[in-house]
Amino acid sequence: MPKNKTCQTAVALTYRTGQAAPIVVAKGRGIIAEEIIRRGKESEVYVHESAELVALLMQVNLDDRIPPQLYVVVAELLAWLYRLEKGKEMPTGHSETANRSNKPELSQ
């Protein structure tokens, strides 16, 4: 692998109404990240790209809730996805149109 090529990272979150906070259900780098993203797209889960957010979420253990410091940014993302599902807003530059399983995938 060339030194200037960045290793892809990905984190998958899940959130259900009534939960205290979203939970990290998958995370990884390289081939694992590619598989997380592939499976998400295959399942019609919206994949959001945010290197900064992924870097922070990579620090959260699997099956743990996201930390309170990330509540606002993740809540804004989930609210946007909710509006997207309801057809009120279209994604810019993305082929995915809905998050049918409440699991946004984040990639870098």
Side-chain angles (χ1 to χ4, degrees), residues 26-41:
K27 66 179 187 173
R29 289 182 171 79
I31 294 171
I32 294 172
E34 292 171 12
E35 186 66 13
I36 291 168
I37 294 166
R38 184 190 68 74
R39 287 184 183 198
K41 288 181 177 181

Side-chain angles (χ1 to χ4, degrees), residues 34 39 42 71 102-103:
E34 292 171 12
R39 287 184 183 198
E42 195 174 83
Y71 284 2
N102 292 326
K103 283 188 180 179

Side-chain angles (χ1 to χ4, degrees), residues 45-92:
V45 172
Y46 179 75
V47 177
H48 177 77
E49 294 185 27
S50 173
E52 297 84 7
L53 183 55
V54 169
L56 294 169
L57 289 169
M58 286 293 288
Q59 298 174 41
V60 179
N61 291 327
L62 285 174
D63 298 322
D64 280 357
R65 293 182 185 122
I66 64 167
Q69 297 87 340
L70 297 179
Y71 284 2
V72 172
V73 69
V74 172
E76 288 174 355
L77 176 60
L78 292 174
W80 181 78
L81 287 170
Y82 177 79
R83 288 190 305 272
L84 183 66
E85 285 181 341
K86 299 299 177 194
K88 295 181 181 177
E89 193 170 324
M90 294 302 295
T92 304

